Amino acid sequence: MSRLSMTRGTGVLAAVLAAGALLASCSAPADLDAAAASQLQSRVLAVSKDAAGKNYAGALADLDQLGRDLDAAAAAGKLTPARREQISSAMALVRADLSAARTAASASPSPSTAPTPTPTPAPAVAPAVTPTAAPAPLPPAPAKGRSHSKGKGKKDH
């Protein structure tokens, strides 16, 4: 696993956990209804499980459902507008991290789907021919026939 994917996965999980912490911490009892908080927390847990398993599409779908649950709780008056804004802001950060992680995961091919390069055969190379030196020319052969010399031991007169 590359350092970038580990960092990205850790960042997504941290953002999801931060969103869950926002839901869990109630500054005032009237801030968020207990039943609504429990329902929203179960959605945050689903988002964090999918993100930890690198199921970014599933995590984004869970985050969409969390948004619908948040809207319903707000419409029913189960949380204050300020609390809704805090949760919505945390969800926007988580959504950005999940979208970036999904894009990065789809951009880099997994090892099992990466095409295997086919080796190209090397062109056949003829063996190098080393030129050999031509033999030295032979001295000319004596001419056949009469010689101008008188023979061995004879003098010219």
Side-chain angles (χ1 to χ4, degrees):
M1 177 184 295
S2 74
R3 183 175 205 89
L4 177 63
S5 64
M6 284 179 51
T7 304
R8 184 166 311 285
T10 304
V12 170
L13 191 55
V16 170
L17 294 175
L22 266 176
L23 289 173
S25 65
C26 294
S27 57
D31 201 17
L32 178 62
D33 178 75
S38 177
Q39 181 182 10
L40 296 174
Q41 286 173 345
S42 69
R43 293 288 181 207
V44 169
L45 180 60
V47 172
S48 65
K49 282 182 178 179
D50 281 339
K54 297 187 192 304
N55 177 6
Y56 302 121
L60 286 165
D62 291 335
L63 194 61
D64 289 340
Q65 185 59 51
L66 176 61
R68 289 189 289 274
D69 291 348
L70 182 65
D71 291 343
K78 296 187 178 193
L79 71 152
T80 63
R83 185 58 177 246
R84 180 181 183 189
E85 182 58 36
Q86 286 177 330
I87 295 170
S88 293
S89 295
M91 287 174 57
L93 293 174
V94 170
R95 183 175 307 284
D97 283 348
L98 287 171
S99 295
R102 181 177 62 178
T103 300
S106 65
S108 60
S110 64
S112 62
T113 60
T116 305
T118 305
T120 306
V125 178
V129 177
T130 307
T132 57
L138 296 175
K144 289 190 177 188
R146 281 190 99 191
S147 162
H148 296 293
S149 70
K150 302 280 180 180
K152 197 173 191 183
K154 296 184 180 178
K155 293 185 178 181
D156 280 338
H157 295 300

